[in-house]
Structure formats: structure tokens, C-alpha cells
């Protein structure tokens, strides 16, 4: 559903890699994922794993360093 946080692991192709962010559903059925680096368009549902349901609030992750 639009607004959910997902992690997409795309094994091959132009958009290969791991993308984590907020998902938007397109009319075609594919997903757009808004990440910290920008939008990744046209990701298949097959590659996505739900991390958190959309509840109306905006979330982001801050990387931490361990000493």
C-alpha cells in the first residue's frame, strides 16, 4: 500500500541493489520507492519486503557509528 516502508532486493538489471524507503504504487502495478538518495521507479512487487505499515507519519533512519 502507498506509504508503507519496504526493502527491495533487486538481483539484476539496471536497478540492481538494495533499496529501502517509502513505497508508492503505480497504475501499472509496479512500485516507486522513495529512498534517501532519490526515487527508484518501476520496482516489481516480487522484490519487495514489508518493513512497516504506513500510519500517516513520516519516518527516516539515521545511520549510527559504533566506537
Amino acid at each position: 500500500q502507498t506509504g508503507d516502508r519496504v526493502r527491495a532486493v533487486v538481483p539484476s538489471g539496471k536497478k540492481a541493489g538494495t533499496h529501502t524507503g517509502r513505497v508508492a504504487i503505480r497504475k501499472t502495478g509496479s512500485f516507486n520507492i522513495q529512498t534517501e538518495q532519490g526515487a527508484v521507479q518501476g520496482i516489481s512487487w516480487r522484490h519487495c519486503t514489508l518493513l512497516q505499515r504506513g500510519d500517516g507519519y513520516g519516518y527516516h533512519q539515521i545511520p549510527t557509528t559504533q566506537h
Side-chain angles (χ1 to χ4, degrees):
Q1 182 174 349
T2 296
D4 292 349
R5 287 187 54 79
V6 297
R7 175 174 290 126
V9 180
V10 183
S12 62
K14 186 176 180 180
K15 300 168 184 112
T18 302
H19 311 287
T20 303
R22 182 179 176 273
V23 70
I25 311 301
R26 297 173 71 176
K27 184 178 179 181
T28 61
S30 61
F31 296 167
N32 289 350
I33 300 175
Q34 184 67 39
T35 66
E36 289 182 10
Q37 294 79 25
V40 182
Q41 299 182 355
I43 302 296
S44 173
W45 63 270
R46 292 180 186 93
H47 303 302
C48 294
T49 303
L50 179 67
L51 298 177
Q52 181 180 12
R53 294 261 182 214
D55 59 2
Y57 290 93
Y59 297 96
H60 64 277
Q61 294 178 341
I62 300 173
T64 59
T65 58
Q66 296 188 14
H67 299 279

